Amino acid sequence: MDRIVVKGNGALSGDIPISGAKNACLTLMPATLLSEEPLTLTNAPRLSDIRTMTALLQSLGCEVTSLQDGKVLTMSSHDINNHKADYDIVRKMRASILVLGPMLARDGHAVVSLPGGCAIGARPVDLHLKALEAMGAELDLRDGYVHAKAIGGRLQGAEFTFPLVSVGATENALLAAVLAKGTTVLKNSAREPEIVDLANCLIKMGAQIEGAATGTITIQGVDSLHGATHPVVTDRIELGTYMLAPAIAGGEVELLGGQRELVGAFADKLEEAEIEVTQTNRGLKVKRKNGRVRAVDVVTEPFPGFPTDLQAQMMALMCTAEGTSVLEEKIFENRFMHAPELMRMGANIDVHGGHATVTGVDKLKGAPVMATDLRASVSLILAGLAAEGETVVSRVYHLDRGYEHVVRKLSGVGAHIERLQEGD
Ligand code: UD1
């Protein structure tokens, strides 16, 4: 298996271009299932999760053409000949469940494997299913699959209140409601920029949607949707991750395409920690002020709160901050697997339930460490940027799921980082 080797090398300087959002692209791609006409996504990130979604759509009969080395994806679903999303693909990526809503809305039936557990907690899909049931889906869970049918052949508009905020369940319900008969109102829905991006794309395809950014989405179902071309929104998690690189290693880096409103709560926390964040006309400029970073407390919340997907990276920053910080994880249980790996690098962390108390140390020390999930793996690379000596991160396939050209992007601002192929 490949490894990434990072050596602490002092201050960083230069630009990092930010890619299109993985999580937005993964929910935009299944929208192709809603129309007979082609959907083209531009600004798509080149990532293994996107290739997994491509394989899933192809297995259903969609044609997917990838142009400009994968940056442009054209999908055509005029000939869906299979309504079963197989376990072999779904088990690789939970976002596969997002084909359920659109298939059901389009043809009135679908069979999708249940995704199963994953490294960061149980992650059930009950809310996806409850929202679809409210719209008149009849669901039968057997052999590890959801067998879904729309009663009367077409989903019906409904009012549904999510008992807790779920990004994926909101997306699945939205993807289904656009072709349901009548009006759907989704209350306590997620407000992440990826939801707004999905709604904007569906509106371009002819859907009638209001309130995507408000927590209550109203959808007036239509009989059919047409083709569209849509640019994938900037990846706010990649943006936040690279904002931490100069914060941790020192120096000044400009994140091209970065917009503060995508990372508001996170940027506020960085400023509280004595990091300068400036919006420019090219993106966001981040600069480490003189002196040590100040310890700050963090609580993860649904958007517009501090994102859980930046918690591991923020912990890497807190490892060498002045003082003690408490990070509280409120979205996923068991999302502190990066803590023991950071401790191998000399960090002082105490995990107790959903909290991690981090007491800053003067310096981290390079060590062999292991990536346990996507965001954990990048937190170890960030920590390595400021550590004394060499950090070797193994199991980097996690990283390939969500960070495009990580070595190129970080070495472009002066980091000492390289990827070793298996056998090197
Ligand atoms: C999405 C993101 C992921 C991010 C997460 C939270 C994608 C592909 N992934 O994941 O990177 O970390 O949002 O911002 O976009 N829950 C239930 N029942 C459900 C669904 C969710 O109990 O049916 C719970 C989850 O276990 C979790 C919470 O709701 O505790 C939020 O999860 P959710 O927002 O659904 O996350 P995902 O959509 O899976």
Side-chain angles (χ1 to χ4, degrees), residues 32-172:
T32 177
L33 294 165
L34 295 166
S35 173
E36 303 262 315
E37 296 178 18
L39 171 65
T40 296
L41 298 176
T42 60
N43 197 36
R46 276 75 50 102
L47 300 167
S48 63
D49 271 10
I50 302 301
R51 290 191 286 276
T52 303
M53 183 58 86
T54 299
L56 173 58
L57 292 174
Q58 284 170 333
S59 77
L60 304 174
C62 300
E63 281 169 28
V64 185
T65 314
S66 154
L67 299 167
Q68 293 181 28
D69 189 28
K71 222 176 164 185
V72 175
L73 298 172
T74 295
M75 291 154 292
S76 178
S77 302
H78 57 88
D79 199 15
I80 296 301
N81 51 22
N82 172 29
H83 289 79
K84 182 174 180 186
D86 207 80
Y87 176 65
D88 272 349
I89 299 185
V90 177
R91 71 184 167 83
K92 289 190 195 153
M93 189 181 68
R94 292 180 45 81
S96 307
I97 190 82
L98 294 174
V99 299
L100 176 59
M103 270 204 287
L104 196 52
R106 173 194 172 115
D107 291 326
H109 61 106
V111 179
V112 177
S113 168
L114 287 163
C118 77
I120 58 172
R123 297 184 84 175
V125 292
D126 56 322
L127 301 178
H128 298 239
L129 305 185
K130 283 195 178 114
L132 294 173
E133 267 179 334
M135 285 183 238
E138 203 174 61
L139 305 175
D140 183 14
L141 270 57
R142 61 187 142 89
D143 323 322
Y145 283 80
V146 187
H147 297 252
K149 249 192 224 149
I151 299 168
R154 184 173 176 189
L155 292 175
Q156 305 292 318
E159 190 171 308
F160 183 77
T161 304
F162 292 99
L164 58 90
V165 178
S166 161
V167 176
T170 301
E171 291 166 346
N172 230 336

Side-chain angles (χ1 to χ4, degrees), residues 5 280 356:
V5 181
T280 68

Side-chain angles (χ1 to χ4, degrees), residues 119-423:
I120 58 172
R123 297 184 84 175
V125 292
D126 56 322
L127 301 178
H128 298 239
L129 305 185
K130 283 195 178 114
L132 294 173
E133 267 179 334
M135 285 183 238
E138 203 174 61
L139 305 175
D140 183 14
L141 270 57
R142 61 187 142 89
D143 323 322
Y145 283 80
V146 187
H147 297 252
K149 249 192 224 149
I151 299 168
R154 184 173 176 189
L155 292 175
Q156 305 292 318
E159 190 171 308
F160 183 77
T161 304
F162 292 99
L164 58 90
V165 178
S166 161
V167 176
T170 301
E171 291 166 346
N172 230 336
L174 179 56
L175 283 160
V178 287
L179 287 186
K181 191 169 166 47
T183 307
T184 298
V185 182
L186 301 173
K187 295 188 175 168
N188 198 28
S189 52
R191 290 182 278 166
E192 270 66 4
E194 294 76 33
I195 304 280
V196 177
D197 201 37
L198 173 62
N200 287 340
C201 176
L202 292 169
I203 289 167
K204 278 186 202 161
M205 294 170 74
Q208 293 186 17
I209 304 167
E210 272 172 27
T214 66
T216 299
I217 311 180
T218 305
I219 304 118
Q220 189 66 50
V222 295
D223 289 339
S224 68
L225 294 178
H226 50 74
T229 296
H230 180 80
V232 178
V233 68
T234 301
D235 195 321
R236 65 198 167 94
I237 306 302
E238 192 198 26
L239 171 62
T241 299
Y242 290 129
M243 286 168 76
L244 284 167
I248 287 178
E252 178 173 310
V253 172
E254 191 160 0
L255 295 317
L256 304 182
Q259 295 148 273
R260 190 171 176 126
E261 64 263 28
L262 292 175
V263 284
F266 172 73
D268 291 349
K269 275 290 162 197
L270 286 191
E271 285 175 336
E272 206 182 312
E274 299 284 338
I275 310 290
E276 252 178 55
V277 179
T278 317
Q279 180 79 58
T280 68
N281 54 13
R282 300 199 312 152
L284 281 179
K285 199 177 267 186
V286 178
K287 183 175 165 192
R288 163 93 166 262
K289 291 185 188 167
N290 294 329
R292 247 171 107 179
V293 171
R294 190 189 293 166
V296 290
D297 294 339
V298 168
V299 181
T300 63
E301 282 168 340
F303 192 85
F306 190 102
T308 173
D309 285 351
L310 286 171
Q311 178 260 109
Q313 302 89 313
M314 189 69 175
M315 186 184 283
L317 176 69
M318 289 300 107
C319 286
T320 51
E322 184 156 24
T324 298
S325 55
V326 177
L327 289 91
E328 185 180 355
E329 177 53 63
K330 289 225 288 203
I331 308 292
F332 293 113
E333 80 266 30
N334 195 20
R335 203 178 193 179
F336 287 127
M337 276 108 53
H338 41 283
E341 298 300 311
L342 290 167
M343 285 157 78
R344 292 173 51 78
M345 300 174 70
N348 181 350
I349 306 168
D350 179 27
V351 174
H352 37 101
H355 298 74
T357 303
V358 185
T359 304
V361 296
D362 282 343
K363 200 92 190 130
L364 293 178
K365 293 198 171 60
V369 287
M370 203 163 4
T372 48
D373 68 54
L374 170 57
R375 308 303 171 184
S377 56
V378 85
S379 77
L380 300 172
I381 290 179
L382 289 172
L385 289 176
E388 242 164 39
E390 194 174 272
T391 299
V392 182
V393 184
S394 55
R395 297 205 177 160
V396 295
Y397 53 85
H398 289 295
L399 207 66
D400 297 332
R401 292 187 44 210
Y403 289 91
E404 163 177 276
H405 302 314
V406 66
V407 169
R408 195 195 295 173
K409 288 187 182 189
L410 283 173
S411 51
V413 292
H416 270 196
I417 176 167
E418 65 176 325
R419 185 173 183 132
L420 300 180
Q421 309 283 324
E422 179 157 14

